[in-house]
Protein backbone atom coordinates (compact mmCIF):
# COMPACT_ATOMS: atom_id res chain seq x y z
CA UNK A 1 0.00 0.00 0.00
CA UNK A 2 1.12 3.55 -0.76
CA UNK A 3 0.84 6.25 1.90
CA UNK A 4 2.15 9.78 2.12
CA UNK A 5 3.09 11.18 5.53
CA UNK A 6 3.96 14.73 6.57
CA UNK A 7 6.64 14.62 9.25
CA UNK A 8 6.76 17.50 11.74
CA UNK A 9 9.65 17.03 14.15
CA UNK A 10 8.96 20.24 16.09
CA UNK A 11 10.97 21.37 19.10
CA UNK A 12 13.08 19.95 21.94
CA UNK A 13 13.20 16.16 21.86
CA UNK A 14 10.70 16.14 18.95
CA UNK A 15 13.34 15.43 16.26
CA UNK A 16 14.94 12.55 18.21
CA UNK A 17 11.74 10.70 18.96
CA UNK A 18 10.36 11.22 15.47
CA UNK A 19 13.55 9.72 14.00
CA UNK A 20 12.82 6.50 15.92
CA UNK A 21 9.21 6.51 14.70
CA UNK A 22 10.52 6.77 11.14
CA UNK A 23 12.87 3.82 11.66
CA UNK A 24 9.87 1.77 12.70
CA UNK A 25 7.85 2.93 9.68
CA UNK A 26 10.72 1.96 7.37
CA UNK A 27 10.92 -1.46 9.01
CA UNK A 28 7.17 -1.96 8.47
CA UNK A 29 7.57 -0.88 4.84
CA UNK A 30 10.27 -3.49 4.22
CA UNK A 31 8.63 -6.27 6.14
CA UNK A 32 5.17 -5.85 4.64
CA UNK A 33 6.03 -4.47 1.21
CA UNK A 34 4.40 -1.04 1.60
CA UNK A 35 5.60 2.22 0.15
CA UNK A 36 5.60 5.17 2.53
CA UNK A 37 6.72 8.58 1.27
CA UNK A 38 7.54 11.51 3.53
CA UNK A 39 7.55 15.32 3.42
CA UNK A 40 9.35 17.08 6.26
CA UNK A 41 7.79 20.37 7.43
CA UNK A 42 8.21 22.82 10.30
CA UNK A 43 5.97 23.88 13.17
CA UNK A 44 6.46 25.43 16.62
CA UNK A 45 9.42 27.41 17.98
CA UNK A 46 11.73 26.15 15.25
CA UNK A 47 9.30 27.49 12.64
CA UNK A 48 9.09 30.86 14.45
CA UNK A 49 12.88 31.08 14.47
CA UNK A 50 13.17 30.35 10.76
CA UNK A 51 10.02 31.96 9.30
CA UNK A 52 8.44 34.08 12.06
CA UNK A 53 5.31 31.90 11.81
CA UNK A 54 4.61 28.92 14.13
CA UNK A 55 2.66 27.22 11.31
CA UNK A 56 4.02 28.11 7.87
CA UNK A 57 1.61 27.79 4.94
CA UNK A 58 3.59 24.98 3.32
CA UNK A 59 3.15 22.89 6.47
CA UNK A 60 -0.63 23.24 6.17
CA UNK A 61 -0.55 22.51 2.42
CA UNK A 62 1.61 19.43 2.82
CA UNK A 63 -0.56 18.18 5.72
CA UNK A 64 -3.76 18.58 3.71
CA UNK A 65 -2.24 16.52 0.90
CA UNK A 66 -1.03 13.70 3.14
CA UNK A 67 -2.67 10.56 4.49
CA UNK A 68 -1.31 11.27 7.96
CA UNK A 69 0.97 13.50 10.00
CA UNK A 70 3.63 12.29 12.40
CA UNK A 71 4.38 15.00 14.96
CA UNK A 72 7.10 15.15 17.63
CA UNK A 73 6.32 17.99 20.04
CA UNK A 74 6.16 21.78 20.09
CA UNK A 75 7.09 24.26 22.79
CA UNK A 76 10.08 26.21 24.05
CA UNK A 77 10.62 27.72 27.52
CA UNK A 78 11.66 31.04 26.04
CA UNK A 79 7.96 31.64 25.22
CA UNK A 80 6.42 30.09 28.34
CA UNK A 81 7.40 32.78 30.82
CA UNK A 82 6.43 35.73 28.68
CA UNK A 83 2.66 36.35 28.83
CA UNK A 84 3.03 39.26 26.41
CA UNK A 85 4.61 37.15 23.62
CA UNK A 86 2.44 37.66 20.53
CA UNK A 87 3.66 34.57 18.73
CA UNK A 88 3.87 31.23 20.51
CA UNK A 89 4.87 27.73 19.36
CA UNK A 90 1.55 26.24 20.60
CA UNK A 91 -0.39 28.50 18.24
CA UNK A 92 0.98 26.36 15.43
CA UNK A 93 -0.56 23.22 16.85
CA UNK A 94 -3.89 24.87 17.68
CA UNK A 95 -4.14 26.30 14.17
CA UNK A 96 -3.19 22.99 12.55
CA UNK A 97 -5.97 21.27 14.53
CA UNK A 98 -8.44 23.90 13.31
CA UNK A 99 -7.26 23.93 9.68
CA UNK A 100 -7.45 20.16 9.42
CA UNK A 101 -10.65 19.98 11.50
CA UNK A 102 -9.05 17.46 13.87
CA UNK A 103 -12.06 17.43 16.13
CA UNK A 104 -11.37 14.23 18.08
CA UNK A 105 -8.29 13.67 20.19
CA UNK A 106 -7.96 10.05 21.22
CA UNK A 107 -5.69 9.14 24.13
CA UNK A 108 -5.52 5.52 25.24
CA UNK A 109 -4.52 4.95 28.86
CA UNK A 110 -3.29 1.47 29.59
CA UNK A 111 -1.02 -0.29 31.96
CA UNK A 112 2.12 -1.95 30.64
CA UNK A 113 2.55 -5.01 32.83
CA UNK A 114 6.38 -4.89 32.96
CA UNK A 115 6.13 -1.26 34.14
CA UNK A 116 3.36 -1.64 36.69
CA UNK A 117 5.79 -0.92 39.54
CA UNK A 118 6.20 2.63 38.17
CA UNK A 119 2.60 3.63 38.77
CA UNK A 120 2.10 6.25 41.48
CA UNK A 121 -0.97 4.26 42.62
CA UNK A 122 -0.92 0.97 44.47
CA UNK A 123 -0.11 -1.53 41.68
CA UNK A 124 -3.27 -3.59 42.31
CA UNK A 125 -5.33 -0.47 41.46
CA UNK A 126 -3.67 -0.39 38.05
CA UNK A 127 -4.15 -4.05 37.18
CA UNK A 128 -6.05 -4.25 33.90
CA UNK A 129 -6.58 -0.50 33.54
CA UNK A 130 -7.48 0.13 29.92
CA UNK A 131 -9.51 3.16 28.90
CA UNK A 132 -9.49 5.72 26.15
CA UNK A 133 -10.25 9.42 26.35
CA UNK A 134 -12.17 11.08 23.52
CA UNK A 135 -11.44 14.78 23.90
CA UNK A 136 -13.16 17.36 21.67
CA UNK A 137 -10.31 19.31 20.10
CA UNK A 138 -11.47 22.15 17.87
CA UNK A 139 -14.05 24.05 19.88
CA UNK A 140 -15.03 25.00 23.44
CA UNK A 141 -13.12 27.50 25.53
CA UNK A 142 -9.92 27.00 23.52
CA UNK A 143 -11.46 28.48 20.39
CA UNK A 144 -14.18 30.84 21.71
CA UNK A 145 -13.91 34.61 21.59
CA UNK A 146 -11.28 35.93 23.96
CA UNK A 147 -10.36 39.41 25.04
CA UNK A 148 -8.43 41.63 27.38
CA UNK A 149 -9.82 45.00 28.50
CA UNK A 150 -7.96 48.08 27.39
CA UNK A 151 -6.58 48.78 30.85
CA UNK A 152 -5.63 45.04 31.03
CA UNK A 153 -7.49 44.66 34.35
CA UNK A 154 -9.99 42.06 33.07
CA UNK A 155 -10.10 39.30 30.50
CA UNK A 156 -12.51 36.67 29.18
CA UNK A 157 -12.59 33.39 27.21
CA UNK A 158 -15.94 32.26 25.86
CA UNK A 159 -16.85 28.56 25.95
CA UNK A 160 -19.40 27.57 23.33
CA UNK A 161 -20.43 24.34 21.63
CA UNK A 162 -22.92 23.46 18.91
CA UNK A 163 -25.01 20.30 18.68
CA UNK A 164 -23.13 19.25 15.56
CA UNK A 165 -19.73 19.62 17.24
CA UNK A 166 -20.86 17.38 20.09
CA UNK A 167 -22.54 14.82 17.85
CA UNK A 168 -19.56 14.16 15.59
CA UNK A 169 -17.19 13.25 18.41
CA UNK A 170 -19.86 11.47 20.44
CA UNK A 171 -20.56 9.13 17.50
CA UNK A 172 -16.87 8.21 17.35
CA UNK A 173 -16.79 7.55 21.09
CA UNK A 174 -19.88 5.31 20.99
CA UNK A 175 -18.55 3.40 17.96
CA UNK A 176 -15.27 2.83 19.78
CA UNK A 177 -17.11 1.64 22.89
CA UNK A 178 -18.91 -0.88 20.66
CA UNK A 179 -15.52 -2.45 19.88
CA UNK A 180 -14.49 -2.40 23.52
CA UNK A 181 -16.27 -2.95 26.85
CA UNK A 182 -19.40 -1.06 25.78
CA UNK A 183 -19.41 1.80 28.23
CA UNK A 184 -19.20 5.56 27.66
CA UNK A 185 -18.65 8.02 30.52
CA UNK A 186 -19.56 11.60 29.66
CA UNK A 187 -17.55 14.01 31.79
CA UNK A 188 -18.91 17.54 32.19
CA UNK A 189 -19.94 20.20 34.69
CA UNK A 190 -23.67 20.14 33.95
CA UNK A 191 -24.54 21.36 37.46
CA UNK A 192 -23.00 24.73 36.55
CA UNK A 193 -22.33 25.17 32.83
CA UNK A 194 -24.89 25.66 30.05
CA UNK A 195 -22.52 24.09 27.49
CA UNK A 196 -22.30 20.98 29.70
CA UNK A 197 -26.12 20.75 29.80
CA UNK A 198 -26.09 20.87 25.99
CA UNK A 199 -23.52 18.04 25.93
CA UNK A 200 -25.75 15.95 28.22
CA UNK A 201 -28.89 16.47 26.14
CA UNK A 202 -27.17 15.81 22.81
CA UNK A 203 -25.29 12.74 24.06
CA UNK A 204 -28.39 11.35 25.76
CA UNK A 205 -30.39 11.64 22.52
CA UNK A 206 -27.63 10.13 20.43
CA UNK A 207 -27.19 7.23 22.87
CA UNK A 208 -30.54 5.81 21.73
CA UNK A 209 -28.78 4.88 18.44
CA UNK A 210 -26.45 2.64 20.48
CA UNK A 211 -28.70 0.56 22.74
CA UNK A 212 -25.90 -1.90 23.56
CA UNK A 213 -23.70 0.86 25.03
CA UNK A 214 -24.08 1.86 28.68
CA UNK A 215 -23.91 5.65 29.16
CA UNK A 216 -22.90 7.14 32.48
CA UNK A 217 -22.31 10.76 33.54
CA UNK A 218 -19.69 12.20 35.85
CA UNK A 219 -19.02 15.77 36.90
CA UNK A 220 -15.47 16.70 36.06
CA UNK A 221 -14.39 17.27 39.67
CA UNK A 222 -15.63 13.81 40.60
CA UNK A 223 -14.03 12.34 37.46
CA UNK A 224 -10.68 13.76 38.55
CA UNK A 225 -11.06 11.84 41.84
CA UNK A 226 -12.35 8.64 40.26
CA UNK A 227 -9.38 8.45 37.88
CA UNK A 228 -7.13 8.09 40.92
CA UNK A 229 -9.45 6.10 43.17
CA UNK A 230 -10.70 3.53 40.67
CA UNK A 231 -9.34 3.84 37.12
CA UNK A 232 -10.46 0.28 36.32
CA UNK A 233 -14.08 1.49 36.02
CA UNK A 234 -13.54 3.42 32.77
CA UNK A 235 -13.82 2.22 29.18
CA UNK A 236 -14.44 5.24 26.90
CA UNK A 237 -14.38 8.69 28.49
CA UNK A 238 -16.00 11.44 26.39
CA UNK A 239 -15.45 15.10 27.20
CA UNK A 240 -14.93 18.65 25.95
CA UNK A 241 -11.71 20.38 25.04
CA UNK A 242 -10.39 21.80 28.31
CA UNK A 243 -11.67 19.07 30.63
CA UNK A 244 -10.11 16.56 28.24
CA UNK A 245 -6.80 18.40 28.27
CA UNK A 246 -6.60 18.27 32.06
CA UNK A 247 -7.97 14.77 32.60
CA UNK A 248 -5.77 13.26 29.91
CA UNK A 249 -2.66 14.65 31.59
CA UNK A 250 -3.88 13.36 34.94
CA UNK A 251 -4.59 9.94 33.46
CA UNK A 252 -1.31 9.81 31.60
CA UNK A 253 0.71 9.57 34.80
CA UNK A 254 -1.15 6.43 35.91
CA UNK A 255 0.94 4.21 33.71
CA UNK A 256 4.12 5.45 35.35
CA UNK A 257 5.78 7.11 32.42
CA UNK A 258 4.56 9.88 30.19
CA UNK A 259 7.11 8.58 27.74
CA UNK A 260 4.87 5.63 26.86
CA UNK A 261 1.65 7.32 25.78
CA UNK A 262 0.57 8.05 22.21
CA UNK A 263 -2.31 10.09 20.88
CA UNK A 264 -4.26 10.42 17.66
CA UNK A 265 -6.20 13.44 16.45
CA UNK A 266 -8.71 12.64 13.79
CA UNK A 267 -11.25 14.61 11.81
CA UNK A 268 -12.55 14.90 8.28
CA UNK A 269 -9.34 14.22 6.37
CA UNK A 270 -5.69 13.86 7.30
CA UNK A 271 -5.18 12.51 10.82
CA UNK A 272 -2.34 13.44 13.16
CA UNK A 273 -0.34 11.11 15.43
CA UNK A 274 1.95 12.25 18.22
CA UNK A 275 3.30 11.34 21.64
CA UNK A 276 1.37 12.82 24.59
CA UNK A 277 4.54 14.21 26.18
CA UNK A 278 5.82 17.67 25.45
CA UNK A 279 9.07 18.94 23.95
CA UNK A 280 11.12 18.34 27.16
CA UNK A 281 13.76 20.89 26.13
CA UNK A 282 16.12 20.00 29.01
CA UNK A 283 16.68 16.60 27.37
CA UNK A 284 16.99 17.78 23.78
CA UNK A 285 19.94 16.27 21.92
CA UNK A 286 20.98 14.06 24.87
CA UNK A 287 19.73 10.75 23.45
CA UNK A 288 17.79 10.02 26.65
CA UNK A 289 14.20 10.70 25.57
CA UNK A 290 11.82 7.75 25.51
CA UNK A 291 10.75 7.12 21.89
CA UNK A 292 8.08 4.53 22.81
CA UNK A 293 5.20 7.04 22.85
CA UNK A 294 6.07 8.08 19.30
CA UNK A 295 6.49 4.45 18.24
CA UNK A 296 3.06 3.67 19.72
CA UNK A 297 1.69 6.72 17.87
CA UNK A 298 3.02 5.06 14.71
CA UNK A 299 1.02 1.95 15.69
CA UNK A 300 -2.11 4.13 15.95
CA UNK A 301 -1.31 5.53 12.51
CA UNK A 302 -1.06 2.02 11.06
CA UNK A 303 -4.42 1.14 12.64
CA UNK A 304 -5.84 4.24 10.98
CA UNK A 305 -4.47 2.99 7.63
CA UNK A 306 -6.37 -0.27 8.28
CA UNK A 307 -3.01 -2.02 8.67
CA UNK A 308 -4.00 -3.95 11.77
CA UNK A 309 -1.41 -6.69 11.41
CA UNK A 310 1.35 -4.11 11.01
CA UNK A 311 0.12 -2.15 14.05
CA UNK A 312 0.06 -5.34 16.10
CA UNK A 313 3.66 -6.00 15.08
CA UNK A 314 4.74 -2.59 16.38
CA UNK A 315 2.96 -3.19 19.70
CA UNK A 316 4.56 -6.61 19.90
CA UNK A 317 7.97 -4.98 19.48
CA UNK A 318 7.18 -2.55 22.32
CA UNK A 319 6.13 -5.39 24.63
CA UNK A 320 9.22 -7.35 23.68
CA UNK A 321 11.44 -4.38 24.52
CA UNK A 322 9.74 -3.76 27.87
CA UNK A 323 9.83 -7.42 28.84
CA UNK A 324 13.54 -7.56 28.05
CA UNK A 325 14.29 -4.31 29.86
CA UNK A 326 15.30 -2.53 26.69
CA UNK A 327 14.22 0.82 28.04
CA UNK A 328 15.31 4.44 28.34
CA UNK A 329 16.47 6.30 31.42
CA UNK A 330 13.00 7.47 32.51
CA UNK A 331 12.04 3.82 33.02
CA UNK A 332 15.29 2.50 34.47
CA UNK A 333 17.75 5.19 35.64
CA UNK A 334 20.65 2.76 36.11
CA UNK A 335 20.45 0.32 33.19
CA UNK A 336 19.19 2.16 30.20
CA UNK A 337 19.57 2.47 26.45
CA UNK A 338 19.78 5.59 24.33
CA UNK A 339 16.83 6.92 22.33
CA UNK A 340 18.44 5.94 19.06
CA UNK A 341 19.47 2.45 20.25
CA UNK A 342 15.85 1.73 21.20
CA UNK A 343 14.71 2.84 17.74
CA UNK A 344 17.30 0.54 16.10
CA UNK A 345 16.30 -2.41 18.27
CA UNK A 346 12.61 -1.97 17.54
CA UNK A 347 13.24 -1.62 13.82
CA UNK A 348 15.42 -4.76 13.70
CA UNK A 349 12.86 -6.71 15.70
CA UNK A 350 10.16 -5.81 13.19
CA UNK A 351 12.25 -6.09 10.06
CA UNK A 352 13.79 -9.46 10.84
CA UNK A 353 10.48 -11.01 11.66
CA UNK A 354 11.63 -11.30 15.29
CA UNK A 355 13.87 -14.21 14.30
CA UNK A 356 17.41 -13.05 14.92
CA UNK A 357 17.05 -10.73 17.82
CA UNK A 358 17.51 -12.05 21.26
CA UNK A 359 18.29 -10.41 24.51
CA UNK A 360 22.01 -11.08 24.40
CA UNK A 361 22.36 -9.48 20.96
CA UNK A 362 20.43 -6.52 22.17
CA UNK A 363 22.49 -6.24 25.32
CA UNK A 364 25.55 -5.46 23.24
CA UNK A 365 24.06 -2.06 22.63
CA UNK A 366 23.47 -1.42 26.25
CA UNK A 367 24.45 2.06 27.30
CA UNK A 368 27.07 2.37 29.97
CA UNK A 369 26.51 6.06 30.45
CA UNK A 370 24.83 6.76 33.76
C1 LIG B 1 -2.10 19.06 24.43
C2 LIG B 1 -1.32 20.31 24.80
C3 LIG B 1 -1.91 21.48 24.02
C4 LIG B 1 -3.34 21.65 24.45
C5 LIG B 1 -1.13 22.79 24.16
C6 LIG B 1 0.31 22.60 23.76
C7 LIG B 1 -1.77 23.90 23.38
O1 LIG B 1 -1.34 20.54 26.16
O2 LIG B 1 -2.03 18.64 23.28
O3 LIG B 1 -2.78 18.52 25.30
O4 LIG B 1 -3.61 22.26 25.50
O5 LIG B 1 -4.23 21.17 23.75
MN1 LIG C 1 -2.40 19.04 27.32
Amino acid sequence: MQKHITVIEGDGIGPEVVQQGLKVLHAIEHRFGHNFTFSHRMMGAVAIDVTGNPLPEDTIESSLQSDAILLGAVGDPKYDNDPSAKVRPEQGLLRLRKELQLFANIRPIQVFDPLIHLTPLRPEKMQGVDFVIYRELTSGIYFGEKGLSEDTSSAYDVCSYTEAEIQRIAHLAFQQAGNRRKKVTLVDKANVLETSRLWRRVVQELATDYPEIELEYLFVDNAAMQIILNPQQFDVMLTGNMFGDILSDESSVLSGSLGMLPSASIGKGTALFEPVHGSYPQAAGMDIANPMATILAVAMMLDHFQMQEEAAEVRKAVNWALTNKLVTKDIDPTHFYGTSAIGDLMASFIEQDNAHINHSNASLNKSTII
Side-chain angles (χ1 to χ4, degrees):
M1 213 183 274
Q2 167 98 34
K3 293 287 175 194
H4 186 67
I5 298 160
T6 292
V7 178
I8 305 178
E9 295 183 347
D11 305 320
I13 57 170
E16 296 163 65
V17 294
V18 164
Q19 285 312 318
Q20 314 319 312
L22 293 178
K23 287 177 190 170
V24 166
L25 276 170
H26 287 306
I28 290 288
E29 246 188 317
H30 297 154
R31 167 97 183 269
F32 291 87
H34 298 304
N35 180 18
F36 298 144
T37 51
F38 301 93
S39 297
H40 288 258
R41 293 290 183 273
M42 282 188 288
M43 184 168 81
V46 60
I48 299 175
D49 292 345
V50 176
T51 69
N53 180 352
L55 182 65
E57 287 304 318
D58 69 340
T59 303
I60 302 175
E61 265 163 45
S62 172
S63 299
L64 287 168
Q65 287 158 17
S66 299
D67 296 296
I69 302 164
L70 180 64
L71 169 67
V74 293
D76 190 297
K78 71 182 172 202
Y79 299 94
D80 288 346
N81 304 326
D82 177 9
S84 68
K86 288 269 178 295
V87 192
R88 298 173 173 280
E90 292 79 3
Q91 288 164 345
L93 183 57
L94 294 173
R95 199 171 146 221
L96 188 67
R97 288 173 179 168
K98 200 70 180 173
E99 294 282 342
L100 299 180
Q101 279 296 299
L102 299 173
F103 60 81
N105 182 230
I106 303 165
R107 294 188 174 176
I109 309 293
Q110 60 172 122
V111 56
F112 297 91
D113 285 332
L115 305 183
I116 200 160
H117 60 283
L118 294 177
T119 177
L121 301 185
R122 285 204 303 279
E124 67 269 21
K125 292 234 173 224
M126 271 308 281
Q127 211 76 57
V129 165
D130 177 12
F131 64 97
V132 54
I133 301 178
Y134 274 65
R135 166 191 174 194
E136 200 290 327
L137 202 60
T138 51
S139 185
I141 195 166
Y142 270 54
F143 288 94
E145 193 192 322
K146 41 188 97 244
L148 181 65
S149 68
E150 226 159 78
D151 67 0
T152 71
S153 67
S154 70
Y156 62 91
D157 296 277
V158 174
C159 180
S160 78
Y161 269 110
T162 66
E163 283 184 339
E165 284 168 343
I166 298 166
Q167 280 158 350
R168 59 186 183 180
I169 183 168
H171 276 300
L172 293 181
F174 276 80
Q175 283 156 14
Q176 183 62 255
N179 299 326
R180 297 174 47 100
R181 299 194 310 280
K182 307 202 170 18
K183 179 171 159 188
V184 170
T185 305
L186 175 64
V187 174
D188 62 25
K189 189 75 187 174
N191 49 348
V192 179
L193 302 177
E194 203 56 52
T195 41
S196 287
R197 289 192 275 272
L198 182 69
W199 272 82
R200 273 207 190 194
R201 175 175 63 73
V202 170
V203 171
Q204 206 161 26
E205 284 167 10
L206 180 144
T208 58
D209 293 350
Y210 302 89
E212 77 285 12
I213 310 288
E214 178 196 347
L215 171 62
E216 117 190 325
Y217 308 95
L218 274 187
F219 293 139
V220 62
D221 43 358
N222 189 14
M225 281 197 303
Q226 294 300 325
I227 285 171
I228 292 175
L229 291 175
N230 178 15
Q232 289 145 339
Q233 69 184 288
F234 297 115
D235 181 20
V236 175
M237 186 182 283
L238 168 64
T239 191
N241 202 342
M242 185 143 94
F243 296 155
D245 178 47
I246 298 165
L247 295 182
S248 62
D249 261 30
E250 182 191 349
S251 308
S252 69
V253 300
L254 294 180
S255 78
S257 175
L258 200 48
M260 294 300 301
L261 297 175
S263 121
S265 300
I266 68 167
K268 296 198 173 127
T270 318
L272 180 147
F273 301 87
E274 59 177 323
V276 165
H277 62 70
S279 60
Y280 191 16
Q282 304 85 338
M286 293 170 70
D287 199 38
I288 57 169
N290 188 343
M292 295 290 193
T294 308
I295 290 169
L296 288 166
V298 163
M300 291 184 90
M301 181 189 287
L302 295 169
D303 272 334
H304 182 75
F305 292 159
Q306 304 295 325
M307 298 180 183
Q308 269 80 19
E309 198 190 334
E310 292 83 336
E313 199 56 37
V314 174
R315 294 193 177 103
K316 193 169 145 195
V318 169
N319 286 329
W320 165 80
L322 296 181
T323 309
N324 289 291
K325 302 188 173 8
L326 309 174
V327 294
T328 40
K329 199 177 172 184
D330 52 317
I331 307 275
D332 186 339
T334 44
H335 296 101
F336 58 86
Y337 293 75
T339 309
S340 182
I342 295 288
D344 291 340
L345 287 162
M346 307 288 279
S348 337
F349 179 89
I350 293 166
E351 202 153 337
Q352 299 174 24
D353 198 6
N354 321 336
H356 306 297
I357 304 264
N358 60 40
H359 192 196
S360 58
N361 283 347
S363 296
L364 295 176
N365 290 328
K366 199 159 211 167
S367 172
T368 50
I369 308 163
I370 297 180

